[in-house]
Amino acid sequence: MRRPHVAPLGGRLDLADLLPLLPKLCTKVLGPTGTTCTLVGDRRVDKPFFHHGDLTVTGNPDIEAPFVLTGSLSVEGALNDTDHRKNSSDPSPGDQ
């Protein structure tokens, strides 16, 4: 089924290549001014997280899911960025 509103891209589209564009797109759509937020204590982020603005974490965040900010991230602790794909069937970028 042809969808006329979708432009042909030619080749394989890797959505991971588009991820760096997401914060700029969100800022353009949501406006340049986000909110400043502080999360206190150790946090495990196991569901997709989005925040429009700057985020400060006072603790040790464990990031296990997609995590998108349109502003700056400041961590007063140790950040653990787990590859959330390790238990899925999705190949990691180096495996392709």
Side-chain angles (χ1 to χ4, degrees):
M1 177 178 180
R2 186 172 185 280
R3 295 179 287 177
H5 61 281
V6 177
L9 296 174
R12 184 171 174 253
L13 175 64
D14 187 356
L15 296 179
D17 292 335
L18 300 176
L19 188 58
L21 302 174
L22 189 58
K24 287 183 181 179
L25 175 64
C26 291
T27 299
K28 186 172 183 174
V29 171
L30 299 172
T33 307
T35 59
T36 300
C37 181
T38 301
L39 300 177
V40 178
D42 295 349
R43 301 270 178 162
R44 180 173 164 234
V45 180
D46 58 359
K47 293 185 174 76
F49 180 90
F50 172 80
H51 177 70
H52 180 48
D54 297 336
L55 180 66
T56 299
V57 181
T58 58
N60 302 301
D62 185 11
I63 310 299
E64 299 177 358
F67 192 88
V68 177
L69 297 174
T70 59
S72 298
L73 173 63
S74 175
V75 178
E76 298 173 10
L79 173 71
N80 180 25
D81 182 11
T82 304
D83 184 354
H84 63 277
R85 295 173 296 192
K86 68 181 177 184
N87 293 323
S88 75
S89 60
D90 293 341
S92 64
D95 295 340
Q96 296 180 4

